[in-house]
Amino acid sequence: MTDTLALTGALLIDGTGRAIQNATVLVAGDRIAAVGPEVTVPDGADVVDLTGKTLMPGLIDAHVHLGGLGFGVRPSFGGRKATDDYARPRLDALRHGVTTQRSLGDFLTDTLAVRDDIEKGTLPGARIVTSGPSFQVEGGHPNGTVWGNDPVALAEGARLPGTPADAARMVAELADAGVDLIKIIISDNAFMRPPQPELKMDWAVTEAIVKAAHEHGLRVAAHAENVVDALKAVLAGVDDIEHLVMREPDLSDSETFETLFSLMAANGTYLVPTMTAHQRAGADVDPTTLTYGNKLVKQAFDAGVRLGVGSDAHSPGLHGWKLYHELVMLVHDQGIPALAALTAATGGNAELLGIADRVGTVTPGKLADLVVVDGNPLDGITAIGKVDRVWRDGRLVTDPTD
C-alpha cells in the first residue's frame, strides 16, 4: 500500500486557464505529484473516482475580514477572543471550497497568531494571508462607520498616520511584526453617507505608505470608491484596487474609466471588485439575478486588467458563501467566461497574494489544495455551489458525509 491518493475521471480546471477532460491527479502527502489524462495510477494507491464531477484548485478569496461580529452587533468588530479564534470564517470558508483567504483589515496580533496556528496545523481552517490593521483616518471608514468608533477596534485594527514620517514608521512596524501586505483606506465615506472630504487621507501620506511598503517588499491593496481616487492610487503605485465603485457609478466621465483601466492593465494593477460587498447572510437571492456597476468589471476585463476575486465577507455566515455569489455574478452579470473567472479565483488570486509558488494551480509540486464539485461549472457556473470534497495540504477536510 502506498500513501498516494489518485483522483480519477474528473474534468480538471487547473487554475492556469486550462480545462482537461478525464484527468488523473496524484497526491503524495501534502503535494500534487502528477497531473494529466495519461497519468498511470500506481499499485496500491487510494483511488477516488470523480466521473461526472469537476476538480479544481482550492478557491481563494482575495478580500475578507475575519473579525466581523454581525450586522447590528455592538461592538461590530473584534479579535480572536470575541470570535473563538475566527472559527466561523475559518471553517465556513472550507465548506464552500475556499482554502485561502486574504484578510484586509483585522486585529494585528490576533490574525498573525491564528494565521500561524493554521499553518502549524494546530487550528483547522482556510489558510490566512493578512494585512493586519488597515491605514485609515480617525472618524473615517471603517472606524467611524462600521465599527461605531469602538476604541478597541480602533487600537487593534487601524493605523492612523498624520504625516508621511508617521506612515513610514508604521509600515516598518507592521513589516517587522510579520504582515503579508499593507492595506490603505482611500475613502470620504461617500458610499455610506454624504461625502466628507475632510475624512480622506492626505495623498502625501498615502504615497509614503506605498513607498515604504514596497521598500519592505510588501504589496499594497487600496480601498477606493470612485474612479478619480482609483486613478490617483494607481499612479501612486498601489498593487490592487479594492471595490472601485461602492454605489451605482457615474459613467459620465467614461474617458477617466478608460484611462484608469488602460493604466491598470499596463502596470499589472489588479482590480478586486467585491460586487457582493453589501449582501447579507441568509438573503434568499438567486445570485444569477444580481447586477452591479454597469458592466464596469467586464470593461476592465476587456481592457486587459487582471481581476482578483474577493467577496468582502465580514460577518458570520458570509465566508465562502459570498465568494460563490461573486463568481456567479462575474459570469452571469458581467459576462466574463466561466473558465476565466475560475482561473482568476485560483491561479490569478494566488499571484495577487504572492503565494503562487505554493498554491493556486493543480500542477506537480504545489500543495494539494483541491476542491471537487458536482457537475460542470463551465456549463453552469452555479455548479461551484455544489461542493463535494475539499482537501487542504493533502488532508481531506470536507467530504460527502459531512
Side-chain angles (χ1 to χ4, degrees):
M1 190 70 177
T2 72
D3 64 352
T4 299
L5 173 66
L7 307 175
T8 66
L11 168 66
L12 173 64
I13 297 174
D14 71 355
T16 72
R18 298 187 304 168
I20 304 169
Q21 296 285 346
N22 196 31
T24 293
V25 174
L26 300 183
V27 177
D30 64 351
R31 301 279 170 172
I32 297 166
V35 180
E38 308 300 327
V39 169
T40 299
V41 177
D43 293 340
D46 182 9
V47 179
V48 179
D49 181 7
L50 299 178
T51 301
K53 302 180 187 296
T54 299
L55 177 64
M56 302 182 296
L59 297 171
I60 298 171
D61 193 331
H63 189 135
V64 305
H65 302 278
L66 302 171
L69 300 175
F71 291 98
V73 176
R74 288 293 178 265
S76 63
F77 196 65
R80 66 185 303 181
K81 183 177 180 181
T83 59
D84 188 20
D85 292 336
Y86 306 117
R88 289 291 301 276
R90 285 190 283 113
L91 301 175
D92 285 352
L94 288 180
R95 297 185 188 104
H96 288 85
V98 176
T99 55
T100 301
Q101 301 184 95
R102 183 172 68 156
S103 159
L104 290 183
D106 275 294
F107 287 16
L108 174 62
T109 303
D110 290 357
T111 48
L112 292 177
V114 171
R115 176 197 68 182
D116 295 345
D117 285 345
I118 291 171
E119 286 299 305
K120 291 184 292 187
T122 56
L123 279 178
R127 71 171 46 80
I128 293 170
V129 172
T130 183
S131 68
S134 54
F135 282 84
Q136 308 172 25
V137 173
E138 187 170 3
H141 181 71
N143 67 83
T145 54
V146 179
W147 302 351
N149 298 306
D150 178 62
V152 176
L154 183 66
E156 299 289 342
R159 293 295 181 270
L160 309 172
T163 67
D166 289 342
R169 173 180 54 79
M170 291 175 180
V171 168
E173 290 170 352
L174 293 177
D176 289 344
V179 300
D180 300 300
L181 75 155
I182 296 296
K183 165 76 176 296
I184 306 173
I185 304 291
I186 300 173
S187 169
D188 57 12
N189 296 352
F191 75 100
M192 299 189 74
R193 57 183 65 167
Q196 296 174 275
E198 72 277 9
L199 294 180
K200 184 171 289 184
M201 188 177 296
D202 183 89
W203 280 102
V205 174
T206 297
E207 291 167 355
I209 294 168
V210 176
K211 181 175 184 291
H214 288 165
E215 287 174 349
H216 287 277
L218 299 173
R219 298 175 67 92
V220 179
H223 167 126
E225 297 163 15
N226 61 66
V227 65
V228 174
D229 285 348
L231 182 57
K232 291 180 73 172
V234 173
L235 289 169
V238 304
D239 299 284
D240 54 280
I241 295 293
E242 305 293 313
H243 311 304
L244 184 58
V245 284
M246 299 294 284
R247 288 180 174 174
E248 196 71 10
D250 178 5
L251 298 182
S252 60
D253 192 3
S254 60
E255 290 186 5
T256 306
F257 279 104
E258 292 174 6
T259 300
L260 171 65
F261 295 148
S262 177
L263 181 63
M264 291 178 72
N267 289 1
T269 311
Y270 284 76
L271 171 63
V272 185
T274 68
M275 294 177 288
T276 59
H278 298 303
Q279 193 177 0
R280 298 193 178 196
D284 186 18
V285 175
D286 178 353
T288 65
T289 68
L290 298 173
T291 60
Y292 173 89
N294 291 325
K295 308 299 181 188
L296 279 175
V297 181
K298 182 61 160 56
Q299 182 181 337
F301 176 79
D302 289 344
V305 176
R306 301 195 68 178
L307 294 183
V309 184
S311 69
D312 203 6
H314 50 268
S315 294
L318 293 178
H319 295 79
W321 179 82
K322 285 185 72 172
L323 191 72
Y324 161 67
H325 285 69
E326 186 80 10
L327 280 163
V328 173
M329 287 181 70
L330 283 170
V331 176
H332 276 269
D333 175 48
Q334 296 297 314
I336 291 168
L339 183 58
L342 292 169
T343 300
T346 53
N349 271 357
E351 293 178 5
L352 169 61
L353 272 60
I355 56 174
D357 59 328
R358 295 184 286 150
V359 298
T361 61
V362 184
T363 49
K366 296 286 183 73
L367 290 169
D369 281 15
L370 302 166
V371 58
V372 176
V373 300
D374 290 328
N376 182 351
L378 302 185
D379 291 338
I381 188 63
T382 56
I384 61 167
K386 302 173 183 176
V387 174
D388 179 76
R389 294 174 174 89
V390 179
W391 289 265
R392 196 181 81 77
D393 288 355
R395 297 188 301 272
L396 186 65
V397 292
T398 301
D399 66 37
T401 64
D402 286 350

